[in-house]
């Protein structure tokens, strides 16, 4: 990654990964495919684990969270875990059960609800697709079958109201999530009826009978693929950069790492955008149980696991806010991260980020050794900021942790903006972290 051409190519690989990942389910599948290609073996939570020093493994929860790891050449009790944590989900709209709604006797809409905190007006007037997971009947009632689905076609749109009927629109309009953001799917006619329109569409796509479909987890997503833009190809314009950019960077680093003394871990959780309080989220025992099982497989006990945690370090990787070129007054007057100026360490006095002087110093030194510039972010003192998986995961594991991410503009817009150089920078820092 020594030339701008290589950096643009790597950014294009990120865009390819994002296009394959319209939902958290698809993101995990994309990670799984790449890990297998790099020699990783899948483990099942219900199986007894037999792990070998230097072995490469991954385990999946709910098809929407994944943890990959490379076993160290020394027991974790001696060398600890080097963990990078990110999340697979993005703010969007989720389709409700029995979603078909009739309007004016001829329009057919879908009933949706907001997932996370998207900037709602950015979803208007854009071709939208449908993707997610469909649950099917099986021979075992306790374990239904599942299939991932991606209606890779612009089947939906949320139309805006014409300015002639909304003269104050450019002064700011509050959108009602139950009324103003319901997507249009088609016009009712003999071949398109209100009853089971979506199930019929899914059945055709999956080549199953409608009666086999029990339920679904479906989301809307922007159809247009991300692009490299800017006068000198310096920007990445795409949806779902938050937080698939960090998943991709961590995956690239883990896939190429060689076994060394420490055990290297990449944890990609689901449901960060809605609080992480799920079995596959950061506020679960998923990561803790995987780490403990790694310690047990090496012949250790619970005491060895706790000693391993004391020797461990986690990078909580979630995107950061760059200074906005038109809204500079919304940022701290001193700490002002810029695009293409390196990854950003995030601080908060109320501990919505876990970084402190100790953990930040570790990551700063990693960046220095990797010859990567590094920046710092804090909110304006009169503005409430966001949070991430760092404080949540650290509270379960009680290990040293730094919150960081590459800087972007328009976070939670349907189309976010990042820097091409920053994606290479952060991946270099992750690669070096895994080497330590």
């Amino acid at each position: 990654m020594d030339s701008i051409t290589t950096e643009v190519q790597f950014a294009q690989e990120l865009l390819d990964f994002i296009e394959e990942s319209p939902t958290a389910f698809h993101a995990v599948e994309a990670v799984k495919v790449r890990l297998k290609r790099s020699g990783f073996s899948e483990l099942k939570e219900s199986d007894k684990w037999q792990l070998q020093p230097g072995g490469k493994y991954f385990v999946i929860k709910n098809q929407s969270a994944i943890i990959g790891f490379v076993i160290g050449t020394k027991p974790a009790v001696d060398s600890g875990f080097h963990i990078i944590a990110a999340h697979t989900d993005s703010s969007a709209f989720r389709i409700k059960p029995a979603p078909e709604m009739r309007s004016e006797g001829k329009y057919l809409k879908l009933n949706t609800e907001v997932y996370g905190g998207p900037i709602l007006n950015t979803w208007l007037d854009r071709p939208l697709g449908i993707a997610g997971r469909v649950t099917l009947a099986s021979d075992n009632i306790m374990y239904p079958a599942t299939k991932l689905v991606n209606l890779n076609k612009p089947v939906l749109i949320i139309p805006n109201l014409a300015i002639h009927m909304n003269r104050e629109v450019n002064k700011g309009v509050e959108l009602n999530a139950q009324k103003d953001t319901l997507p249009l799917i088609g016009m009712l006619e003999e071949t398109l009826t209100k009853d089971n329109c979506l199930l019929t569409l899914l059945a055709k796509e999956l080549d199953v009978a409608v009666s086999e479909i029990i339920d679904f987890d479906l989301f809307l997503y922007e159809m247009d693929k991300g692009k490299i833009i800017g006068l000198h190809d310096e920007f990445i314009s795409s949806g779902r950069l938050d937080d698939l950019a960090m998943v991709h960077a961590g995956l690239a680093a883990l896939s190429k790492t060689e076994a060394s003394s420490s055990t290297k871990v990449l944890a990609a959780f689901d449901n960060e955008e809605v609080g992480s309080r799920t079995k596959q989220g950061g506020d679960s025992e998923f990561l803790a149980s995987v780490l403990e099982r790694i310690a047990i497989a090496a012949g250790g006990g619970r005491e060895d696991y706790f000693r391993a945690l004391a020797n461990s370090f986690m990078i909580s990787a979630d995107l950061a806010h760059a200074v906005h070129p038109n809204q500079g007054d919304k940022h701290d007057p001193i700490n002002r991260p810029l695009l293409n100026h390196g990854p950003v360490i995030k601080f908060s006095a109320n501990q919505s980020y876990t970084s402190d002087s100790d953990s930040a110093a570790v990551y700063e030194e990693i960046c220095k050794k990797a010859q990567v510039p590094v920046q710092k972010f804090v909110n304006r003192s009169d503005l409430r900021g966001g949070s991430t998986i760092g404080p949540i995961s650290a509270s379960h594991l009680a290990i040293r942790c730094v919150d960081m991410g590459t800087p972007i503009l328009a976070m939670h817009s349907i189309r976010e903006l990042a820097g091409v150089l920053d994606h290479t920078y952060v991946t270099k820092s992750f690669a070096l972290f895994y080497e330590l």
Side-chain angles (χ1 to χ4, degrees):
M1 299 181 184
D2 297 324
S3 69
I4 186 62
T5 301
T6 304
E7 289 153 351
V8 169
Q9 288 173 346
F10 187 52
Q12 188 61 55
E13 290 177 18
L14 167 62
L15 292 179
D16 293 341
F17 174 75
I18 291 174
E19 185 179 34
E20 292 176 43
S21 309
T23 71
F25 305 109
H26 293 83
V28 166
E29 182 65 22
V31 171
K32 172 182 174 179
V33 168
R34 286 162 173 77
L35 287 178
K36 281 192 167 184
R37 194 184 299 155
S38 298
F40 286 70
S41 300
E42 184 172 5
L43 301 170
K44 302 295 184 182
E45 286 188 288
S46 57
D47 293 343
K48 182 176 176 61
W49 291 3
Q50 303 289 342
L51 310 179
Q52 301 299 321
K56 300 179 177 182
Y57 307 96
F58 66 91
V59 60
I60 292 172
K61 172 79 79 174
N62 190 52
Q63 296 180 270
S64 62
I66 186 168
I67 296 176
F69 52 95
V70 178
I71 301 295
T73 55
K74 293 183 179 179
V77 66
D78 297 319
S79 299
F81 303 103
H82 285 194
I83 307 164
I84 296 172
H87 63 90
T88 58
D89 63 318
S90 301
S91 293
F93 288 88
R94 178 170 173 156
I95 298 177
K96 292 182 179 181
E100 294 87 355
M101 299 176 67
R102 186 195 305 264
S103 176
E104 304 303 316
K106 282 295 182 180
Y107 292 122
L108 185 61
K109 305 184 294 184
L110 294 186
N111 194 12
T112 61
E113 60 182 323
V114 174
Y115 177 88
I119 302 177
L120 296 180
N121 63 17
T122 64
W123 285 76
L124 304 182
D125 304 320
R126 292 179 183 261
L128 303 173
I130 298 173
R133 179 176 66 177
V134 178
T135 302
L136 308 169
S138 74
D139 295 333
N140 188 336
I141 291 178
M142 292 301 295
Y143 295 97
T146 60
K147 286 189 176 184
L148 300 191
V149 65
N150 180 8
L151 301 180
N152 197 12
K153 176 184 177 182
V155 294
L156 300 173
I157 194 164
I158 306 171
N160 225 317
L161 181 63
I163 193 170
H164 311 80
M165 303 169 188
N166 190 12
R167 292 290 184 182
E168 303 298 308
V169 64
N170 291 324
K171 296 181 180 180
V173 172
E174 181 178 355
L175 296 175
N176 183 295
Q178 184 59 65
K179 174 177 177 287
D180 300 320
T181 60
L182 300 184
L184 178 68
I185 191 171
M187 301 296 292
L188 290 169
E189 52 191 39
E190 289 184 7
T191 57
L192 178 62
T193 63
K194 178 179 177 295
D195 298 328
N196 290 335
C197 167
L198 182 60
L199 293 185
T200 302
L201 196 62
L202 295 173
K204 181 178 179 181
E205 182 72 19
L206 297 174
D207 193 24
V208 300
V210 171
S211 59
E212 294 180 64
I213 299 176
I214 303 174
D215 212 333
F216 51 73
D217 304 289
L218 296 175
F219 297 84
L220 312 189
Y221 72 96
E222 183 197 22
M223 285 297 304
D224 292 337
K225 183 178 179 178
K227 292 179 174 63
I228 306 298
I229 66 171
L231 184 62
H232 301 292
D233 292 335
E234 62 264 58
F235 302 128
I236 306 170
S237 171
S238 177
R240 304 186 300 283
L241 287 171
D242 179 15
D243 191 34
L244 293 183
M246 296 297 90
V247 174
H248 182 262
L251 174 63
L254 185 69
S255 298
K256 296 176 181 177
T257 191
E258 298 295 332
S260 60
S261 57
S262 64
T263 293
K264 302 111 172 50
V265 181
L266 172 65
F269 298 109
D270 191 9
N271 303 130
E272 188 275 344
E273 298 293 358
V274 291
S276 298
R277 297 184 66 180
T278 61
K279 63 185 182 298
Q280 62 273 4
D283 197 7
S284 72
E285 295 303 310
F286 182 34
L287 177 57
S289 65
V290 169
L291 299 182
E292 185 169 1
R293 292 183 73 169
I294 292 172
I296 291 171
R302 196 157 176 80
E303 174 74 7
D304 295 299
Y305 166 60
F306 289 129
R307 291 171 61 198
L309 293 183
N311 291 323
S312 299
F313 192 90
M314 182 164 70
I315 296 175
S316 168
D318 200 358
L319 297 188
H321 298 291
V323 171
H324 197 285
N326 299 332
Q327 302 284 344
D329 59 325
K330 296 294 186 180
H331 299 263
D332 181 76
I334 303 297
N335 300 279
R336 302 171 73 81
L338 300 170
L339 297 182
N340 287 318
H341 281 62
V344 179
I345 301 173
K346 300 185 283 187
F347 294 89
S348 171
N350 64 18
Q351 294 301 294
S352 56
Y353 303 124
T354 58
S355 308
D356 55 26
S357 63
D358 171 72
S359 62
V362 171
Y363 187 68
E364 283 192 69
E365 290 298 298
I366 288 171
C367 289
K368 184 185 297 183
K369 189 170 182 179
Q371 297 183 315
V372 167
V374 64
Q375 309 179 82
K376 295 182 178 179
F377 170 85
V378 288
N379 284 297
R380 274 183 60 112
S381 299
D382 54 357
L383 287 179
R384 178 177 174 270
S387 187
T388 183
I389 55 179
I392 294 170
S393 294
S395 67
H396 285 267
L397 297 172
I399 65 174
R400 299 157 73 203
C401 180
V402 63
D403 267 300
M404 54 71 61
T406 50
I408 65 167
L409 295 170
M411 187 180 291
H412 288 199
S413 170
I414 199 172
R415 200 87 175 183
E416 298 163 325
L417 188 70
V420 166
L421 293 179
D422 289 327
H423 196 55
T424 291
Y425 286 148
V426 75
T427 306
K428 283 183 175 180
S429 75
F430 288 173
L432 183 66
F433 173 60
Y434 280 147
E435 290 173 8
L436 299 175

